[in-house]
Amino acid sequence: MKKAILLLTSALLAVSAPAMAAPKPKAAATPVAPEAPEVTATKLRDAALKSNLAYDFVAELTTRFGARPAGSESERKAAEWSAAELKKMGFDNVRIESFPLQIWQRGAESLEIVGPFAQKIVVTALGGSGATPAAGVEGEAAIYETYAEFADSKADLTGKIVVILQPTVRTQTGQGYGVNSGSVRRQGPELARSRGAVGYVMRSLGTEDHRFAHTGATRFLGEQGLAALAMSPPDAEQFERLLKMQREGKAGPIRLKMLSTPTFKGAGTSQNVIAEIKGTKRPNEVIVIGGHLDSWDLGTGAIDDGAGVAITMAAAKVMLDQGVRPERTVRVVFWGSEEVSQPGDQGLSGANAYATAHAGDTHIAAAESDFGADVIYSLSLPKTDYPDFNKKLGIILYPLNIFVDRVVSTGGGPDTSPLNAKGVPVFDLQQNGTDYFDVHHTADDTLDRIDPKKMTQNVAAWAATVWMIANTEVVFQPTNGK
Amino acid sequence: MKKAILLLTSALLAVSAPAMAAPKPKAAATPVAPEAPEVTATKLRDAALKSNLAYDFVAELTTRFGARPAGSESERKAAEWSAAELKKMGFDNVRIESFPLQIWQRGAESLEIVGPFAQKIVVTALGGSGATPAAGVEGEAAIYETYAEFADSKADLTGKIVVILQPTVRTQTGQGYGVNSGSVRRQGPELARSRGAVGYVMRSLGTEDHRFAHTGATRFLGEQGLAALAMSPPDAEQFERLLKMQREGKAGPIRLKMLSTPTFKGAGTSQNVIAEIKGTKRPNEVIVIGGHLDSWDLGTGAIDDGAGVAITMAAAKVMLDQGVRPERTVRVVFWGSEEVSQPGDQGLSGANAYATAHAGDTHIAAAESDFGADVIYSLSLPKTDYPDFNKKLGIILYPLNIFVDRVVSTGGGPDTSPLNAKGVPVFDLQQNGTDYFDVHHTADDTLDRIDPKKMTQNVAAWAATVWMIANTEVVFQPTNGK
């Protein structure tokens, strides 16, 4: 018995030996070797998973301010509240930077089939689109299954209302949206106007099968622009059935009555909100992360993009909460006015204002969270020669079910694009966007669409990634191909 | 080899012997024993599973006429088209029976939080509700989590807008809706008015989490009635958060601006569409099945209740298609004006008109399909002493994944209730209603909500059940408890 006990004691001592071997000075007279960045990044990752800060922030933001259209009082109040909250949380250099923009405001909007097959169609006006006469406009529908058929057609469209039925294909990356937005939504109305049409109606750029119309910006042509509406996917299916009946000889021409009375309100003001954690060693080297604070007017901008500002803010805040400070400066930007188009195809007025005002800053990297609140599944980084950077980040991110993509990043969210154009490297924490276009730009974009647990995964990934960039000497190559 | 061939031939002859044994006269001089009703019912069941008629019918109905509000031109045109289609299909005695009703029509409707927490709320007016002044009405919100708290409260509601947040619980049977509709939707507005409130807003009687408001009838009090709106479930959650913030001292009183301008348009006309397959042996004994043709104005009434008229019509049509005729008369009714309330709490004007006009008919049984287009999972029958009736039907229905309930039926759909009250036995082919209140009474009630395959299961069950009642001498006891 005694021998056995002795053996056990020896074993226990052997196990704890390494810890006991290192002499522990009572007062830290000699400097302690700093924690490796990947160790801190892992701690930040795990701390982020335990916090509900991002969800609580987007909940309060949307509850307090609802929709935050670019240049609106609501967007301004949300910016002021955000700045106050960021100060309370302990961020440095919290400030609001204002900029001018042209304001478009939705009016009344409706569409109905009149005569045979009479019924109301669920629609919403495209941002920046023109108006019908106050009494509306009536015309025969010129229905096209695809945009290409419309663009190629030589048919006379004088007095007609163009109807485009091209669907948005569901993809994880959002490509199905990307291939439609420039053509169907952005160019379509002006092309229809140039060919004599009196109105333009497109199937919403949306993947869901509920009866929501999705707004979004078309070209900002002021009062010269054509009235343009997006209809819900189930309503587009009604037109598909009518087209089929026309081809079978069961239906004649379809007449539409359309109303849209938006107003171009002239110059207004929007603003970016900026907050920092000043770097301890290289404060002039800045990593920019953020989302956009403005939203479309139909929902409350929970997934687009209350989620993005909340996720990136919370990723920085977890550093403050854990009592660690980055060596480079981490700057969080809540961009204003991302959603709207502007005259001269400028758009992105908040991002442009930021890039201009901060052209002299040394931006090490930039990235935006603007693709909802679903989980991140991959990280794309700019090219770097810094040893093992991607590998080390991969080890931290894989437990979150995220891989580091071998493909080099080319974009980092819309509001980073003016920076990217100037040579700032951008990275991309790619979220699962499979269901994003079910909700995006609709009245259904409200808080209940967000899963708090998925949000914490986002925060954890952002915190770890940003820390690794901030606390190494990694240098990225520009991502704009120059 | 030869022996083997001979043996095989004998076997084949043996198999076909019974068919060959019966002498087949060229002209049917001697009567052939009629096929047992359960054999025909099984054939009808299987034939129904191969037909898309019900789906095609509801597709064309909703594509041609869209929403069909009670007493509208659209409801009338849909009735005329239906009657023409039923004639073309070969039904007997197709006719339209008109009746008068009082008409309520939706006007403009909106709700917004003004002042702190300003945002727009997605709402729709309750059918039969009163109007606000044309400029709307503003008042402080009196928020109640449950209807009981509101009903029990002695708080002064003068000048306030009552807000009820009671949710609708998801159930397979629809009970979660049933417990709310009489109180929250039907009685609530008048109780609020009697206590001085200037408006009434309830969480929609709906189970979904999308941003649709669900309409539905409240008491029809004419211009004396209070303006009453239903809001979408996500908007109700906004009020829940505000209530929590009020309790935590983070929010003060919530002010609402409410607008609803419906009109009471006076007397109008609606109609029932009736078609029959005249019984071969007992034509005066009538089995009534059907659905209601009217719908709420927001969607196109695909699941409520285009599906019901299509399913029951198709169940009868399969008999015509198979060249078999029932011994008792099968009567299909497309009731008009099921959805709306009427002065004096009458409602069900189509069902009442039918019950009055046909009070002298011998109704053997009645049932309505008015619970969407999901699968049927059980059949409840009235009491009967007819031997093995339930057992035989169970054998036919189980392969469709339907059991015969041991509980005796007490209801057979809303439009059968005036008949039931007069002693007509009703039966119930109970559909799965788990998701029904996601869509019911919203703009989202459109064709795309229907799964054609599930519809054929319904048609098969109705065809088999109706045939068994029509071609046996089953007699049911009244189901109204008298």
Side-chain angles (χ1 to χ4, degrees):
Chain A
M1 287 286 283
K2 218 165 189 187
K3 199 174 176 185
I5 286 170
L6 270 173
L7 275 170
L8 189 62
T9 309
S10 305
L12 283 169
L13 285 171
V15 164
S16 38
M20 296 182 76
K24 260 195 180 167
K26 276 277 172 209
T30 36
V32 178
E35 199 167 65
E38 53 271 29
V39 174
T40 313
T42 305
K43 286 181 185 168
L44 291 171
R45 179 197 72 188
D46 295 342
L49 291 175
K50 289 178 195 140
S51 165
N52 269 324
L53 177 63
Y55 183 80
D56 292 345
F57 189 86
V58 67
E60 192 158 349
L61 174 71
T62 55
T63 301
R64 283 189 179 275
F65 307 104
R68 303 170 300 282
S72 69
E73 191 191 346
S74 165
E75 189 201 26
R76 183 180 54 75
K77 283 185 175 171
E80 288 165 359
W81 173 83
S82 297
E85 291 292 308
L86 290 162
K87 271 182 203 165
K88 270 195 270 176
M89 289 178 195
F91 282 93
D92 307 319
N93 301 330
V94 178
R95 58 202 185 275
I96 291 177
E97 295 180 352
S98 298
F99 55 86
L101 84 167
Q102 292 290 313
I103 295 180
W104 173 92
Q105 193 173 69
R106 187 180 308 284
E109 51 195 22
S110 63
L111 180 71
E112 52 187 315
I113 301 171
V114 290
F117 306 94
Q119 65 182 270
K120 288 179 184 165
I121 303 298
V122 171
V123 289
T124 195
L126 300 182
S129 62
T132 62
V137 65
E138 212 179 297
E140 188 185 316
I143 308 174
Y144 296 94
E145 282 187 288
T146 62
Y147 187 78
E149 285 167 294
F150 158 63
D152 290 350
S153 163
K154 303 282 177 259
D156 180 19
L157 296 175
T158 305
K160 294 197 173 171
I161 295 174
V162 170
V163 178
I164 309 284
L165 300 183
Q166 183 162 305
T168 297
V169 178
R170 187 182 293 275
T171 61
Q172 191 174 19
T173 59
Q175 281 174 289
Y177 172 82
V179 297
N180 279 359
S181 57
S183 56
V184 187
R185 198 176 69 202
R186 195 159 185 82
Q187 304 301 337
E190 178 57 9
L191 180 57
R193 191 201 58 75
S194 72
R195 291 171 52 195
V198 295
Y200 183 84
V201 181
M202 57 178 277
R203 180 179 173 134
S204 287
L205 300 192
T207 48
E208 38 67 55
D209 54 5
H210 291 289
R211 212 155 172 224
F212 291 110
H214 299 233
T215 190
T218 187
R219 286 183 68 198
F220 189 105
L221 298 169
E223 278 150 23
Q224 311 309 316
L226 190 64
L229 304 173
M231 67 181 149
S232 86
D235 287 278
E237 289 173 14
Q238 166 75 3
F239 280 91
E240 283 169 12
R241 291 189 295 271
L242 292 174
L243 192 61
K244 184 163 176 278
M245 289 175 83
Q246 283 182 331
R247 287 171 179 167
E248 291 167 349
K250 289 184 187 166
I254 302 299
R255 284 196 73 77
L256 297 175
K257 186 170 180 190
M258 175 172 172
L259 174 74
S260 184
T261 59
T263 43
F264 292 89
K265 305 192 75 168
T269 302
S270 178
Q271 55 283 310
N272 297 322
V273 181
I274 301 178
E276 295 176 349
I277 307 179
K278 205 76 191 162
T280 50
K281 285 201 176 167
R282 285 158 285 161
N284 293 332
E285 297 182 4
V286 178
I287 302 152
V288 178
I289 60 172
H292 65 85
L293 194 56
D294 69 310
S295 78
W296 279 109
D297 51 345
L298 303 175
T300 63
I303 69 151
D304 187 12
D305 182 30
V309 300
I311 286 165
T312 50
M313 174 282 293
K317 177 65 162 50
V318 74
M319 300 172 195
L320 297 177
D321 291 343
Q322 295 300 305
V324 295
R325 292 189 76 89
E327 294 181 358
R328 287 165 163 163
T329 291
V330 174
R331 183 181 288 168
V332 182
V333 184
F334 293 10
W335 282 282
S337 304
E338 186 271 344
E339 294 290 4
V340 297
S341 53
Q342 291 284 283
D345 289 342
Q346 280 303 302
L348 291 172
S349 41
N352 284 323
Y354 174 86
T356 303
H358 296 272
D361 296 358
T362 304
H363 290 106
I364 294 295
E368 182 177 22
S369 171
D370 183 21
F371 203 44
D374 206 336
V375 291
I376 294 167
Y377 67 91
S378 76
L379 167 64
S380 296
L381 288 165
K383 236 181 184 166
T384 180
D385 296 327
Y386 192 77
D388 285 341
F389 188 78
N390 293 21
K391 185 178 145 189
K392 281 180 180 167
L393 247 175
I395 291 168
I396 302 169
L397 296 179
Y398 249 123
L400 296 172
N401 217 23
I402 297 168
F403 67 91
V404 178
D405 202 335
R406 274 179 287 191
V407 177
V408 167
S409 61
T410 52
D415 286 305
T416 66
S417 63
L419 292 172
N420 190 14
K422 290 181 178 183
V424 174
V426 297
F427 63 96
D428 188 7
L429 282 156
Q430 175 75 46
Q431 289 168 289
N432 178 15
T434 307
D435 302 330
Y436 183 61
F437 295 103
D438 289 0
V439 173
H440 172 257
H441 295 189
T442 70
D444 211 22
D445 179 5
T446 48
L447 183 65
D448 57 293
R449 298 290 98 195
I450 295 180
D451 177 337
K453 193 145 181 270
K454 291 179 175 176
M455 261 192 125
T456 65
Q457 188 257 16
N458 277 260
V459 177
W462 278 89
T465 303
V466 171
W467 186 263
M468 287 296 287
I469 301 172
N471 283 51
T472 60
E473 291 183 31
V474 64
V475 175
F476 296 116
Q477 292 178 22
T479 35
N480 61 357
K482 283 177 196 168
Chain B
M1 286 284 284
K2 216 163 188 186
K3 199 172 176 191
I5 286 169
L6 270 173
L7 275 169
L8 188 61
T9 310
S10 305
L12 283 169
L13 284 171
V15 165
S16 38
M20 298 180 74
K24 260 195 182 167
K26 278 278 172 202
T30 37
V32 178
E35 198 169 66
E38 54 270 31
V39 174
T40 314
T42 304
K43 287 180 184 170
L44 292 172
R45 177 196 72 187
D46 296 342
L49 290 175
K50 288 177 195 140
S51 164
N52 269 324
L53 177 63
Y55 183 79
D56 293 344
F57 189 86
V58 68
E60 192 160 347
L61 173 71
T62 55
T63 301
R64 284 189 179 274
F65 307 103
R68 304 170 300 282
S72 69
E73 191 190 346
S74 166
E75 189 201 26
R76 182 179 55 73
K77 283 183 174 173
E80 287 164 0
W81 173 83
S82 297
E85 291 293 308
L86 290 162
K87 271 181 202 166
K88 271 196 269 175
M89 290 179 195
F91 281 94
D92 307 318
N93 300 329
V94 178
R95 59 204 185 274
I96 290 177
E97 295 181 351
S98 298
F99 55 86
L101 85 166
Q102 290 291 312
I103 295 180
W104 172 93
Q105 192 174 69
R106 187 180 309 284
E109 50 195 23
S110 64
L111 181 70
E112 52 187 314
I113 301 173
V114 290
F117 306 94
Q119 64 182 269
K120 289 178 183 166
I121 303 298
V122 171
V123 289
T124 195
L126 300 182
S129 63
T132 62
V137 66
E138 212 181 296
E140 188 185 317
I143 309 174
Y144 296 94
E145 283 188 288
T146 61
Y147 188 78
E149 285 167 294
F150 158 63
D152 289 352
S153 162
K154 303 280 177 261
D156 181 19
L157 296 175
T158 305
K160 294 198 174 172
I161 296 175
V162 170
V163 178
I164 308 284
L165 301 182
Q166 183 162 305
T168 297
V169 178
R170 188 182 293 276
T171 61
Q172 190 174 19
T173 58
Q175 281 175 290
Y177 172 81
V179 297
N180 279 357
S181 57
S183 56
V184 187
R185 197 175 71 202
R186 195 160 185 83
Q187 303 302 337
E190 178 58 9
L191 180 56
R193 191 202 59 75
S194 72
R195 289 171 52 194
V198 295
Y200 184 84
V201 181
M202 57 179 276
R203 180 179 173 133
S204 287
L205 301 192
T207 46
E208 38 69 55
D209 53 6
H210 291 290
R211 212 154 170 226
F212 291 109
H214 299 232
T215 189
T218 186
R219 287 182 68 196
F220 189 106
L221 298 168
E223 279 149 23
Q224 312 308 318
L226 189 64
L229 303 173
M231 66 181 149
S232 87
D235 287 277
E237 288 173 15
Q238 166 76 2
F239 279 92
E240 283 169 13
R241 291 190 295 272
L242 292 174
L243 192 61
K244 184 162 175 279
M245 288 175 83
Q246 283 182 332
R247 286 171 181 167
E248 290 167 351
K250 290 183 189 168
I254 303 298
R255 284 196 73 77
L256 298 175
K257 185 167 181 191
M258 175 173 172
L259 174 74
S260 184
T261 59
T263 43
F264 292 89
K265 304 192 73 166
T269 302
S270 178
Q271 56 283 310
N272 297 322
V273 181
I274 301 179
E276 293 176 352
I277 307 178
K278 205 77 193 162
T280 51
K281 285 201 173 164
R282 285 157 284 161
N284 293 331
E285 297 182 4
V286 178
I287 301 152
V288 177
I289 60 172
H292 64 85
L293 194 56
D294 68 311
S295 78
W296 279 110
D297 51 348
L298 303 175
T300 64
I303 69 151
D304 188 12
D305 183 29
V309 300
I311 288 165
T312 50
M313 175 281 292
K317 177 65 163 51
V318 74
M319 299 173 195
L320 297 177
D321 290 344
Q322 295 299 305
V324 295
R325 293 191 74 90
E327 295 181 357
R328 286 164 164 163
T329 291
V330 174
R331 181 179 290 168
V332 182
V333 184
F334 293 9
W335 281 282
S337 303
E338 186 271 344
E339 294 292 5
V340 297
S341 53
Q342 291 284 285
D345 289 343
Q346 280 303 302
L348 291 173
S349 39
N352 284 323
Y354 174 86
T356 303
H358 296 272
D361 296 358
T362 304
H363 290 106
I364 293 296
E368 183 177 23
S369 171
D370 182 21
F371 202 45
D374 206 337
V375 292
I376 294 167
Y377 66 92
S378 76
L379 167 64
S380 297
L381 288 164
K383 236 181 185 167
T384 179
D385 296 328
Y386 192 77
D388 285 339
F389 189 78
N390 293 20
K391 185 178 146 191
K392 282 179 180 168
L393 247 175
I395 290 168
I396 302 169
L397 296 180
Y398 248 123
L400 296 172
N401 218 22
I402 297 168
F403 67 90
V404 178
D405 201 336
R406 274 180 286 193
V407 177
V408 168
S409 60
T410 53
D415 285 306
T416 67
S417 63
L419 293 172
N420 190 13
K422 290 180 179 184
V424 175
V426 296
F427 63 95
D428 188 7
L429 281 155
Q430 175 76 46
Q431 289 167 290
N432 178 15
T434 306
D435 302 329
Y436 182 62
F437 295 103
D438 289 1
V439 173
H440 172 258
H441 295 188
T442 71
D444 211 23
D445 179 6
T446 48
L447 183 64
D448 57 294
R449 299 289 99 193
I450 296 181
D451 177 337
K453 194 147 181 267
K454 290 180 175 175
M455 260 193 126
T456 65
Q457 187 256 17
N458 276 260
V459 177
W462 278 89
T465 303
V466 170
W467 186 264
M468 287 296 287
I469 299 172
N471 283 51
T472 60
E473 292 184 31
V474 63
V475 176
F476 297 115
Q477 292 179 23
T479 35
N480 61 357
K482 280 177 199 167

